[in-house]
Amino acid sequence: MLVADAEVDDTLVAAFAARGAEVRVVGDGALALLEAGRLAPSVVLVGANLPVVDGIGVVRALRAMRGRGEVTILFGLGPDDLAQAADGLEAGASACVAKPYLVAEVLALAGLPADGLGTAPGASALGGPRPAARLGGSAAEADPEVLRVGAVSLDIGAHQVRVDGVPVAVPPREFRLLRVLLERAGRVVPRESLLELVWGTSQMDSNTLAVHVRRLRRRLGDTAETPWSIESVRGVGYRYRVPVS
């Protein structure tokens, strides 16, 4: 893991090291890019306000590096940086994460286990009950770990999304967003609820949600001309469409 943020807490670095990750911390954007080229990290945590090369510039350069398309890039935002969220996502960040960093959140976004974060039996980690069966399936096919609506299936345990049986790469934040929408397929989910469930706060720029929805649609094969998956409900929120049999 590469951390490009001099303000990072030692607790976070220790948490990654305790899970077998090698961690390199740098304090400016230029050095971050040099280290990224040298180390080829699988996860990069980039603070928004970096000297020499700013956070958005680092994110954009990382995505442009040959062979770095699948790296997980977390864009760290302080209370005064929230306006940069949409720009960071457009530049190629996998997800935005609030500062001061919560160890459990960063670990989860990086795909590492966060000890002590288990949920109560039958409860979703995002809040609300788990569905008793796959949507569109029979009771005999019940599997609380798999959500299926039409051509799209989401396996919670395997953290995998398939469209018509073909695996699709979905970053952690978009995976959480898709999960919320599939769990409530056919119903409108207000923007404030989506922000609370996926980001943990409703006090965020609505453009952040719109950018994630747009990127998720593209991953699912949706298009602006023939949208079939996620429907925008003007002034309210979003709804995942249930196909008509």
Side-chain angles (χ1 to χ4, degrees):
M1 179 183 183
L2 174 63
V3 178
D5 190 344
E7 299 176 353
V8 70
D9 194 306
D10 289 344
T11 304
L12 179 62
V13 175
F16 271 91
R19 286 158 179 80
E22 295 183 19
V23 185
R24 174 80 166 98
V25 180
V26 297
D28 69 67
L31 188 54
L33 293 175
L34 287 173
E35 289 296 276
R38 184 176 73 87
L39 301 173
S42 56
V43 180
V44 182
L45 175 60
V46 182
N49 293 314
L50 291 174
V52 188
V53 179
D54 66 13
I56 290 175
V58 171
V59 172
R60 188 174 290 115
L62 286 172
R63 283 294 177 227
M65 285 184 179
R66 182 175 298 177
R68 300 289 187 272
E70 297 304 317
V71 63
T72 296
I73 303 175
L74 307 180
F75 192 48
L77 300 170
D80 299 326
D81 305 327
L82 297 181
Q84 299 186 54
D87 290 338
L89 293 169
E90 287 286 12
S94 306
C96 293
V97 59
K99 298 170 66 175
Y101 300 120
L102 296 177
V103 173
E105 181 180 18
V106 178
L107 287 173
L109 291 172
L112 292 174
D115 298 338
L117 292 182
T119 55
S124 162
L126 297 177
R130 280 182 175 172
R134 304 174 185 176
L135 292 167
S138 66
E141 297 176 316
D143 184 347
E145 290 293 321
V146 178
L147 306 174
R148 179 176 294 150
V149 181
V152 175
S153 66
L154 180 149
D155 188 320
I156 298 168
H159 203 279
Q160 186 175 70
V161 175
R162 292 177 179 270
V163 179
D164 284 326
V166 179
V168 175
V170 178
R173 190 76 71 172
E174 290 171 40
F175 186 91
R176 289 164 66 89
L177 175 60
L178 179 60
R179 177 177 172 180
V180 171
L181 291 170
L182 289 179
E183 286 180 334
R184 297 155 179 79
R187 292 180 286 160
V188 178
V189 185
R191 288 186 179 86
E192 294 77 12
S193 297
L194 285 169
L195 290 172
E196 285 283 358
L197 291 168
V198 179
W199 280 267
T201 177
S202 60
Q203 305 302 311
M204 290 189 68
D205 187 341
S206 60
N207 282 340
T208 298
L209 175 58
V211 168
H212 275 78
V213 169
R214 184 162 64 248
R215 290 168 63 173
L216 182 54
R217 282 170 171 157
R218 285 202 302 265
R219 294 182 198 281
L220 299 179
D222 213 337
T223 66
E225 294 75 22
T226 57
W228 59 267
S229 60
I230 303 171
E231 177 184 10
S232 300
V233 180
R234 189 182 180 93
V236 182
Y238 295 92
R239 171 172 51 212
Y240 196 95
R241 291 177 172 173
V242 177
V244 178
S245 301

